[in-house]
Structure formats: C-alpha cells, structure tokens
C-alpha cells in the first residue's frame, strides 16, 4: 500500500567536483521521511548533512539513486512538492524593512491568502511576540527573530519543514527554547520536521535520529 504522503531516498549517493578532485559525501543512503514525525541528522562538518537535506527537499538531484515524493498517494515531481515544504535556517532571513507582522504574513500574501495579517497576528500570539508586531528585525533579539522565522515556516501549513542548524547562532538557553518551539509547532500542525544539527541535545528530541558517518547513514534512535 502506497503511503499517502512521504519522501523516500533510495540508495542515493552524492558527490561534487572541487578543481581536479571529486569529493564523495555519502554513498547508498536510503531514508524514508514520514509526515507527523521529527527526524534529525547529525554528523561532523563536511559530512554532507546540508546536501542530504537539499536532496530530501528536492532542491538538488543526487549523483545516483532516486528521491521519490508522494503527495496524498500520488507520486509528484520535486517542483510540485516544493510548493508544500518550508525552511528554517541558521540565519533568520527576515526582510529588514518589514516589521515582525509583515515578515510573518508575507508567505500568505504571496499565495493570495485572505486575512493574512489576522493569521500572522494569531501566530505572533502563539509564539509570545504579539507585543513585537511592529518591531523590525534590527529591534529584535536573535531568539525573537528565530521564533518569527519558525512561525513563518509553519504558517503556510506545509507537509514538511527542513531546518538547517536552526539553533546554530543562539546561546544554549535560547537554543533550547527554540528547539522546544519547533517541536511543539510540528506536533500541533502534524507537519514532518527534518532537522540537520550539530546539537546532540536537539537531535535526541527527534522521533528518529541518524548520523552521517563514514559516508553512510547510521541509526542512532
């Protein structure tokens, strides 16, 4: 029976050329990403974590192997699937000229969603920043900016969200708060959350935890 919505990596390998040298990141990696689950991937710098994330998000094609995207039981193209995913990055990527409310409402406005500002205001309240609605990013702390970036990723109700080192720029205490916020949002919305991180503490909070090591993927939990 075909799963209704999932992303499946089948024996994917990935490499790139650096001058005359060919760099192999990983070989024959197979992984199934389920909606309603949190998946974390850890590994040393240069192991290929971000590249694996890009493959799973349909932003890159593997050197070999297949990435299969299934939406409501139907196989779809990476281009189609990208309409149903969101991203959280180490850098917050908020537009500096817009206030918090407008940054949060922007994805909805671009999709022509009615009452975008009202929905953005609800999300600001959910993350405890309703009193910062009209502050621009330069007037917000790093933790506050990342909370808005997280809400922005979830506000469009995607099937999956891909988080690349979401706590990398934050101190330990703020990082722990941000981690809990992401996990709470994923649970409340039923969104699949895939996290690439150096933080073992964050990684171990996931439903499934993997490590990229020796050019392969090992199950940690």
């Amino acid at each position: 029976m075909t799963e209704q919505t999932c992303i499946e990596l089948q024996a994917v390998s990935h490499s790139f050329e650096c001058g005359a040298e060919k760099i192999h990141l990983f070989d024959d990696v197979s992984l199934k990403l389920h909606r309603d689950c949190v998946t974390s991937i850890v590994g040393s710098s240069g192991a290929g974590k971000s590249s694996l994330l890009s493959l799973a998000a349909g932003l890159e094609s593997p050197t070999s192997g297949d990435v299969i995207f299934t939406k409501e039981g139907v196989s779809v193209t990476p281009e189609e699937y990208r309409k149903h995913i969101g991203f959280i990055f180490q850098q917050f990527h908020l537009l500096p000229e817009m206030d918090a409310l407008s940054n949060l409402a922007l994805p909805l406005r671009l999709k022509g969603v009615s009452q975008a500002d009202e929905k953005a205001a609800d999300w600001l309240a959910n993350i405890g920043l309703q009193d910062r609605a009209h502050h621009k990013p330069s007037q917000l702390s790093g933790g506050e900016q990342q909370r808005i970036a997280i809400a922005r990723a979830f506000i469009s109700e995607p099937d999956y969200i891909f988080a690349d080192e979401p706590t990398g720029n934050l101190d330990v205490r703020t990082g722990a708060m941000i981690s809990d916020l992401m996990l709470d949002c994923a649970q409340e919305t039923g969104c699949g959350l895939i996290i690439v991180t150096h933080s073992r503490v964050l990684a171990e909070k996931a439903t499934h935890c993997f490590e990229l090591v020796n050019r392969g993927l090992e199950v940690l939990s």
Side-chain angles (χ1 to χ4, degrees):
M1 180 177 177
T2 303
E3 288 194 61
Q4 287 297 301
T5 299
C6 69
I7 301 171
E8 186 171 6
L9 285 71
Q10 297 181 337
V12 298
S13 299
H14 203 51
S15 60
F16 64 94
E17 293 184 359
C18 182
E21 185 180 6
K22 192 170 187 178
I23 307 296
H24 291 272
L25 293 176
F26 44 81
D27 297 306
D28 296 321
V29 167
S30 294
L31 178 64
K32 185 174 283 189
L33 300 169
H34 305 272
R35 193 165 59 179
D36 300 330
C37 287
V38 178
T39 302
S40 64
I41 301 168
V42 298
S44 60
S45 296
K49 301 185 301 298
S50 293
S51 292
L52 186 61
L53 199 73
S54 293
L55 297 182
L59 300 179
E60 294 184 60
S61 298
T63 305
S64 63
D66 297 297
V67 183
I68 299 172
F69 301 90
T70 303
K71 171 71 175 171
E72 303 299 338
V74 178
S75 180
V76 297
T77 64
E79 292 77 16
E80 174 61 27
Y81 213 96
R82 286 198 294 269
K83 299 175 184 177
H84 306 284
I85 64 177
F87 294 91
I88 302 168
F89 300 100
Q90 182 173 349
Q91 305 295 332
F92 315 123
H93 295 301
L94 301 180
L95 295 178
E97 68 276 13
M98 289 185 173
D99 61 22
L101 180 69
S102 296
N103 265 288
L104 191 44
L106 183 60
L108 300 178
R109 292 174 181 168
L110 292 175
K111 291 185 176 183
V113 175
S114 61
Q115 298 182 323
D117 284 356
E118 290 83 352
K119 190 170 184 180
D122 289 341
W123 268 92
L124 279 177
N126 289 342
I127 61 174
L129 291 178
Q130 62 269 29
D131 60 337
R132 308 290 263 163
H134 301 297
H135 289 72
K136 293 185 177 180
S138 61
Q139 300 170 302
L140 303 172
S141 69
E144 288 171 334
Q145 291 184 65
Q146 191 64 308
R147 283 154 71 185
I148 293 168
I150 288 169
R152 183 182 58 187
F154 281 97
I155 198 170
S156 297
E157 301 177 0
D159 290 332
Y160 290 91
I161 287 177
F162 297 87
D164 194 352
E165 296 290 357
T167 61
N169 275 345
L170 305 173
D171 60 70
V172 173
R173 182 174 177 274
T174 305
M177 183 270 292
I178 290 298
S179 300
D180 290 342
L181 176 62
M182 280 193 306
L183 297 172
D184 288 345
C185 288
Q187 184 175 29
E188 290 173 12
T189 62
C191 171
L193 177 61
I194 300 93
I195 306 169
V196 159
T197 180
H198 281 99
S199 170
R200 295 277 177 160
V201 174
L202 170 55
E204 290 171 359
K205 293 180 179 180
T207 315
H208 306 290
C209 182
F210 300 88
E211 182 175 14
L212 263 178
V213 61
N214 298 324
R215 288 171 34 183
L217 195 65
E218 296 186 359
V219 179
L220 295 183
S221 64

